[in-house]
Amino acid sequence: MSGHSKWSTIKRKKGALDAKRGKIFTKLIKEIMVAARMGGGDIDGNPRLRSAVNAAKTENMPKENIERAIKKGSGELGDAIYDEILYEGYGPGGVAVLVETMTDNKNRTVADVRHFFAKNNGNLGENGCVGWMFDKRGVITVEAVAGLGEEQLIELALEAGAEDVVTEEDSFLIYTTPEDFNAVVEQLEKSKIKMSEASILMVPKNTIEVTEEKTASNLLRLLESLEDHDDVQKVHANFDIPDEIMEKLS
């Protein structure tokens, strides 16, 4: 689980989430549209759409943007067709990387993804080459703030159906099964607990420690290049970088 935790912490410290708010909204809108196209525009009857809307609310997306994306996806405002493609490969140091994409041009996307891997000493692999190293989990991040009791949060999350709650330096990570994810998110919302992130992610079963500075630098550059691409929705990797190496790269 520390693989996801490390990457999320790095992004927060680098300010990437705030600096790329527009790109985050674009990716969330795509997910809402595809979810609505595949399962209909009824949030209560479409679990994937409900998850996408919850993620958008966590990022403070305006309500009208969410409603418009649902209407576009369900065909009320015209069709917008995206293909979902999962790419798998190895980054520097043998780190396993999963890349979730939504694209209207498969040739463009695969060429760009392959280029990013090659440029940063990695290689794009065949389907299934690394996917077995990850488990699909709901991951909810709650920032540690004054007035939020650790025991109270853990009890609330577990009662709502969470599998585990991990305490970190400045936040709590709540893990759920994909099936229980929405119930936990909704319970946290009812309890007025603010979530800084809430998504269904691929969490690594084990992590690879990257202790060489150049390798770590190439790996982070690969992950950032992939996440910055308009067709890429999410990037998952099974790495851990020691704090002393991160300090040198910051």
Side-chain angles (χ1 to χ4, degrees), residues 9-229:
T9 300
I10 289 170
K11 289 190 291 184
R12 287 201 300 272
K13 288 184 177 179
K14 290 172 70 70
L17 294 179
D18 289 332
K20 298 177 181 177
R21 181 70 60 186
K23 284 187 175 292
I24 292 173
F25 277 12
T26 298
K27 296 175 191 293
L28 289 169
I29 286 171
K30 276 187 180 181
E31 171 62 20
I32 291 171
M33 289 170 59
V34 169
R37 175 166 62 88
M38 295 180 66
D42 178 13
I43 293 178
D44 293 330
N46 184 341
R48 178 172 175 178
L49 179 59
R50 189 159 65 249
S51 295
V53 170
N54 282 336
K57 288 179 178 178
T58 299
E59 294 292 343
N60 297 313
M61 180 183 288
K63 182 179 179 181
E64 56 269 25
N65 292 34
I66 295 174
E67 292 175 347
R68 181 175 177 81
I70 293 173
K71 289 179 179 179
K72 289 184 71 173
S74 58
E76 292 183 46
L77 298 178
D79 274 340
I81 305 301
Y82 293 101
D83 291 309
E84 294 183 273
I85 306 173
L86 177 68
Y87 296 103
E88 305 182 33
Y90 290 93
V95 171
V97 181
L98 290 177
V99 187
E100 296 183 39
T101 70
M102 285 187 185
T103 179
D104 57 2
N105 186 327
K106 297 179 184 179
N107 292 334
R108 175 194 65 217
T109 304
V110 69
D112 289 347
V113 170
R114 182 178 288 110
H115 169 72
F116 290 141
F117 272 95
K119 185 178 180 181
N120 295 287
N121 297 326
N123 63 282
L124 187 62
E126 299 294 328
N127 289 343
C129 67
V130 301
W132 58 274
M133 301 181 190
F134 298 79
D135 288 323
K136 183 177 285 189
R137 290 286 183 270
V139 183
I140 304 164
T141 303
V142 176
E143 300 299 329
V145 296
L148 179 60
E150 178 180 350
E151 292 185 5
Q152 175 192 4
L153 176 64
I154 292 174
E155 182 179 354
L156 177 66
L158 293 178
E159 284 184 355
E163 287 189 318
D164 193 16
V165 180
V166 178
T167 302
E168 298 213 315
E169 181 181 346
D170 58 355
S171 63
F172 302 98
L173 293 179
I174 301 171
Y175 292 92
T176 79
T177 64
E179 295 76 19
D180 291 331
F181 173 75
N182 286 313
V184 177
V185 168
E186 289 167 7
Q187 186 58 52
L188 292 173
E189 287 179 337
K190 289 179 182 177
S191 301
K192 308 299 182 183
I193 294 176
K194 182 174 175 57
M195 295 160 280
S196 59
E197 184 179 1
S199 300
I200 302 294
L201 302 174
M202 298 300 291
V203 177
K205 298 176 182 177
N206 297 291
T207 57
I208 293 176
E209 189 171 36
V210 180
T211 57
E212 206 277 321
E213 185 175 338
K214 184 175 181 181
T215 301
S217 177
N218 286 335
L219 175 61
L220 294 181
R221 188 163 57 244
L222 167 62
L223 300 179
E224 289 172 354
S225 296
L226 288 167
E227 286 214 340
D228 199 41
H229 194 285

